[in-house]
Amino acid sequence: MDLTGLKAKSPACRGCSLRSGAGQLVPGSGNPGAVLMLVGEGLGAREGRVGRPFVGAAGQLLGRMLDAAGFRREEVYLASIVKCRLPGNKKPALAEVEACRPLLAAEIDLVRPQIIVCLGALATRTLVAPGASVTRLRGRWIEKDGIHYLPTFHPAALLRDRGKIPLLEEDLRKLRAAYQALHTKQLALTF
Ligand code: URA
């Protein structure tokens, strides 16, 4: 199955109780052949309404920061760990994370990114390091199953604490350097 087929099939998911609400399931979006995937946490109200990830305030901040770091939104693939709207912006429950895991795994298999940026603790813990502290791991490359993971702060955390903005900028500069090396295949890789 390709990404379009996966997305067409996804609304039939009944993996957890979130699907019994009225909201739509919002798979990732962007370049289906992206070298770089960024994975967040769950959907905000706007993402649920619009049906695309990262279109609310946190997503817009992320978009501006990616832009400043030299990435166009269309060249990357943006996804969330949990793909249904979480009532009252609650933290996703483990059962909800596990219910969405096969869908995210299928997206990763189909897009085949070489780099995945884990935005926030949930993405970091779900994809690379269960129980890890994102504050401790941020900005460090972790290689797993042939993919280079870079944990960093979720943009929503920056909206709550603007002091973290320079730290995400620093991580995005590191990301840019590695991406450039992979993309142009001219520079030596220094992960
Ligand atoms: N935050 C996320 O983690 N994902 C989205 O899709 C939107 C905001």
Side-chain angles (χ1 to χ4, degrees):
M1 192 189 306
D2 65 8
L3 207 51
T4 311
L6 179 74
K7 288 181 183 182
K9 191 176 144 244
S10 316
C13 173
R14 292 292 174 271
C16 74
S17 59
L18 292 176
R19 289 299 295 134
S20 58
Q24 56 180 322
L25 188 148
V26 179
S29 81
N31 176 1
V35 171
L36 168 62
M37 182 183 284
L38 297 102
V39 180
E41 183 173 308
L43 305 180
R46 191 167 161 79
E47 283 80 13
R49 266 200 318 276
V50 174
R52 277 181 67 210
F54 289 104
V55 291
Q60 287 168 24
L61 174 61
L62 178 66
R64 288 194 298 276
M65 293 184 74
L66 284 173
D67 200 52
F71 295 101
R72 284 173 300 112
R73 198 178 159 123
E74 316 82 69
E75 76 183 295
V76 306
Y77 191 90
L78 293 166
S80 296
I81 293 285
V82 173
K83 297 168 188 308
C84 285
R85 172 97 178 92
L86 291 146
N89 275 342
K90 77 172 187 78
K91 287 275 164 207
L94 188 60
E96 291 154 359
V97 172
E98 289 308 320
C100 266
R101 200 189 271 271
L103 184 47
L104 180 63
E107 285 182 295
I108 294 173
D109 275 355
L110 290 167
V111 176
R112 302 179 65 81
Q114 295 178 61
I115 299 175
I116 296 183
V117 173
C118 300
L119 297 166
L122 186 72
T124 301
R125 290 175 184 161
T126 305
L127 294 175
V128 279
S133 147
V134 73
T135 306
R136 204 174 53 79
L137 276 194
R138 66 151 276 270
R140 297 205 208 165
W141 290 104
I142 298 164
E143 202 199 328
K144 199 178 139 197
D145 301 330
I147 296 177
H148 300 283
Y149 289 88
L150 184 68
T152 190
F153 294 118
H154 191 284
L158 276 56
L159 292 175
R160 292 190 295 270
D161 175 3
R162 311 292 291 188
K164 290 194 168 86
I165 289 181
L167 300 177
L168 182 55
E169 286 171 341
E170 183 185 312
D171 294 347
L172 291 178
R173 279 195 295 275
K174 198 175 276 190
L175 172 67
R176 182 75 218 168
Y179 181 86
Q180 200 82 15
L182 277 174
H183 212 59
T184 63
K185 296 193 183 359
Q186 284 167 359
L187 304 170
L189 271 182
T190 48
F191 286 104

